[in-house]
Amino acid sequence: MSRLKSAKEIPIGGLIDEAGSSRKFKTGDWRSFRPLIEESKCINCMMCDVFCPEHCISVKEDGKRGEIDLDYCKGCGICANVCPVKCIKMEEEAKFIK
Amino acid sequence: MYKDGRGGKVHKMSKTTAMTGAESAAEAMRQINPDVVAAYPITPQTAIAQNFANYVANGIVDTELVRVESEHSAMSCCVGASAAGARVMTATSSAGLALMWEIVGVAAGLRLPIVMEVVNRALSAPINIHCDHSDSMGTRDLGWIQIFSENAQEVYEHTLIAVRLAEKLLIPAMVCQDGFITSHGVENVEIFDDEGVKKFVGEHKYPYGLLDIKKPVTHGPLQLQDYYFETRSQQIPVMEEAKKEFVKIGEELGKITKKKYPLFDEYEMKDAEAVIVVMNSTAGTTKTAIDAMRKEGKKVGLLKLRLFRPFPYKEVSDALKHVKKIAVLDRSVSFGANPPLYSEVKNGLYDVKYTGKLHSCVFGLGGRNIFVEDIIGVFNRLLDGKLKDHDYIGLREE
């Protein structure tokens, strides 16, 4: 997280004076379950990305599924739910905390 | 008077006409020619919106008049239009102001320079359509500039100042007048020439308009523990600036009107031993009482607040600190606490270590009449030391 700005540094009225600033809002720290993909089962149908509310599953140049961006993944589990081959399972986030 | 290209009447010279406070507010709005007005009828404000609707219907103004289904919607509409960059005005009273309360705070929090005419009326219950100040006092901590007006003339002039003040500092402003007493009482009002006023009011150049596609902005996003405090705190110093700006803009208007617009008026204060502090129409009644008492050699005076928010603590205290006896007249109460105006005056006097006698008098709730004799009575009791610390005027107590 970057340094929080002071009252004098931010625009008035709580307004946001730039476009696309939601990128700065990393929703990944809301996550209590993490999606894990079983690569061998995945058929690259991209249903997970279509349904992902954050669009945080990338598509590679060859059209195949890329990584899940954990900076934004809220752990909602929709991807696991819609996956036609059930290759995504949700694991408790606590398991990954070292 | 001549007609412009749209058939609107243009007043080339100032004119003095008999009109009500509601009409003088509508007249100011005609000259301001706001982009958007959204209002819902409520007694006694209705006369403002009705008069202004006539101007819209007759093509005298360019305003988009939005006839909404409630005051909550009226203020919501104003917020949207103002965020888009429009010059926006509205008007309300009593329950109407109470119903829009949520969005009144939003307007201030989003720093939208909306100007609202508030025709002061009692709050329910019991239901009552007549004057007291409990409606605008209920919104005194919401971050709006509040200007109180003694008569229809002041309503007109304060409205012109309010537009400039609001747009300069990006704080919404309300111009208050006494329901029925001012809003429906007919008196002579001088309306200044359209061109001069138009030049004074100028154009609204809002820097964060939603319609400016070259500068995309988001209004009203969520701010939690991380930023809400900082954003809210910005409203504090800018309110302080409103005091200076009110006087500055008033001086500019004074070039047209040949009048002065101080934060508060001092009437016969110089050698006064007993002073009444009051706002709105009762200040006029008090002046008449003072004139009569001065003829009898009694040293009495008046301090009439124009600006209630921001409250000019230091200025008021400096003006009052040498006065031996002060009665602060409130036309509203704060249940379980000191009445609002008394509370502020007392607050300020602490800083100057006031040693005189300060009294609170609550009067006129729900439009209970207050006459010159009542004010003379307060002054006499104040001078004779017979006024209670917390007293009432015109209340059947026993």
Side-chain angles (χ1 to χ4, degrees), chain B residues 109-156:
Chain B
L110 295 180
R111 303 287 298 276
L112 300 172
I114 298 161
V115 173
M116 172 158 60
E117 300 289 339
V118 175
V119 183
N120 291 123
R121 165 185 152 183
L123 288 174
S124 298
I127 191 163
N128 178 302
I129 58 167
H130 291 284
C131 173
D132 72 36
H133 300 166
S134 43
D135 50 2
S136 39
M137 286 306 164
T139 58
R140 69 190 189 272
D141 293 333
L142 288 185
W144 282 57
I145 291 164
Q146 293 185 316
I147 311 170
F148 283 77
S149 321
E150 182 186 326
N151 48 39
Q153 185 71 46
E154 280 191 8
V155 169
Y156 166 69

Side-chain angles (χ1 to χ4, degrees), chain B residues 31-331:
Chain B
Q31 292 186 317
I32 293 160
N33 194 7
D35 300 307
V36 174
V37 167
Y40 188 79
I42 185 165
T43 302
Q45 171 284 123
T46 307
I48 297 179
Q50 179 193 335
N51 277 299
F52 188 74
N54 270 337
Y55 294 140
V56 176
N58 295 332
I60 290 166
V61 289
D62 306 305
T63 309
E64 180 78 35
L65 181 72
V66 190
R67 286 158 296 173
V68 286
E69 76 276 33
S70 76
E71 284 84 358
H72 192 276
S73 309
M75 188 47 74
S76 299
C77 182
C78 289
V79 162
S82 185
R87 175 174 279 166
V88 182
M89 296 182 77
T90 185
T92 196
S93 287
S94 179
L97 185 55
L99 180 59
M100 65 167 68
W101 203 87
E102 178 193 8
I103 316 298
V104 173
V106 171
L110 295 180
R111 303 287 298 276
L112 300 172
I114 298 161
V115 173
M116 172 158 60
E117 300 289 339
V118 175
V119 183
N120 291 123
R121 165 185 152 183
L123 288 174
S124 298
I127 191 163
N128 178 302
I129 58 167
H130 291 284
C131 173
D132 72 36
H133 300 166
S134 43
D135 50 2
S136 39
M137 286 306 164
T139 58
R140 69 190 189 272
D141 293 333
L142 288 185
W144 282 57
I145 291 164
Q146 293 185 316
I147 311 170
F148 283 77
S149 321
E150 182 186 326
N151 48 39
Q153 185 71 46
E154 280 191 8
V155 169
Y156 166 69
E157 288 156 16
H158 285 165
T159 302
L160 301 179
I161 293 176
V163 171
R164 284 279 307 274
L165 189 57
E167 290 173 5
K168 164 93 192 191
L169 299 170
L170 301 178
I171 314 175
M174 57 178 87
V175 178
C176 307
Q177 59 172 299
D178 279 350
F180 288 112
I181 301 161
T182 305
S183 68
H184 287 62
V186 177
E187 51 189 320
N188 276 338
V189 179
E190 189 179 9
I191 301 295
F192 297 93
D193 73 287
D194 287 1
E195 264 322 297
V197 171
K198 200 175 157 188
K199 230 182 259 168
F200 166 79
V201 174
E203 228 180 282
H204 176 38
K205 288 179 189 132
Y206 182 62
Y208 309 107
L210 282 170
L211 298 181
D212 185 355
I213 51 167
K214 284 184 194 140
K215 251 176 76 185
V217 290
T218 304
H219 282 274
L222 177 82
Q223 288 191 341
L224 300 176
Q225 295 95 328
D226 52 358
Y227 275 109
Y228 180 93
F229 200 173
E230 278 69 27
T231 296
R232 274 306 207 184
S233 77
Q234 292 173 335
Q235 288 175 253
I236 301 165
V238 76
M239 261 294 192
E240 232 3 75
E241 270 177 62
K243 281 192 269 181
K244 280 180 229 142
E245 284 300 328
F246 178 85
V247 174
K248 244 198 248 171
I249 294 166
E251 278 167 7
E252 220 180 292
L253 182 64
K255 282 179 197 152
I256 301 174
T257 63
K258 313 290 174 224
K259 286 179 214 166
K260 287 193 165 71
Y261 305 93
L263 302 169
F264 51 86
D265 292 29
E266 295 174 69
Y267 189 79
E268 300 283 4
M269 282 271 290
K270 232 176 185 175
D271 60 345
E273 283 170 21
V275 163
I276 279 179
V277 181
V278 74
M279 300 195 296
N280 273 12
S281 68
T282 312
T285 317
T286 307
K287 285 178 190 169
T288 308
I290 290 169
D291 291 347
M293 293 182 80
R294 282 273 170 183
K295 275 186 196 146
E296 293 167 14
K298 290 185 175 167
K299 291 178 176 172
V300 289
L302 160 77
L303 189 147
K304 175 191 85 180
L305 258 298
R306 287 175 193 259
L307 208 58
F308 184 74
R309 281 292 182 272
F311 193 87
Y313 289 103
K314 189 182 179 305
E315 296 83 348
V316 168
S317 311
D318 285 344
L320 289 176
K321 65 183 172 194
H322 300 301
V323 179
K324 286 188 189 123
K325 292 165 181 177
I326 305 166
V328 183
L329 273 52
D330 271 275
R331 202 164 194 149

Side-chain angles (χ1 to χ4, degrees), chain A residues 3-64:
Chain A
R3 184 188 71 89
L4 290 170
K5 290 178 181 167
S6 76
K8 282 184 179 156
E9 291 169 322
I10 55 173
I12 61 160
L15 70 85
I16 297 170
D17 58 358
E18 59 180 322
S21 64
S22 59
R23 278 178 190 282
K24 293 181 183 170
F25 189 27
K26 305 236 168 122
T27 47
D29 59 7
W30 299 8
R31 192 175 56 246
S32 55
F33 286 94
R34 181 182 290 202
L36 293 176
I37 302 171
E38 205 178 325
E39 297 290 344
S40 59
K41 272 199 199 168
C42 176
I43 55 170
N44 291 297
C45 69
M46 303 311 296
M47 284 288 271
C48 51
D49 184 45
V50 170
F51 281 89
C52 175
E54 293 293 326
H55 275 300
C56 63
I57 302 165
S58 62
V59 184
K60 290 192 287 196
E61 270 183 28
D62 60 4
K64 291 189 174 166

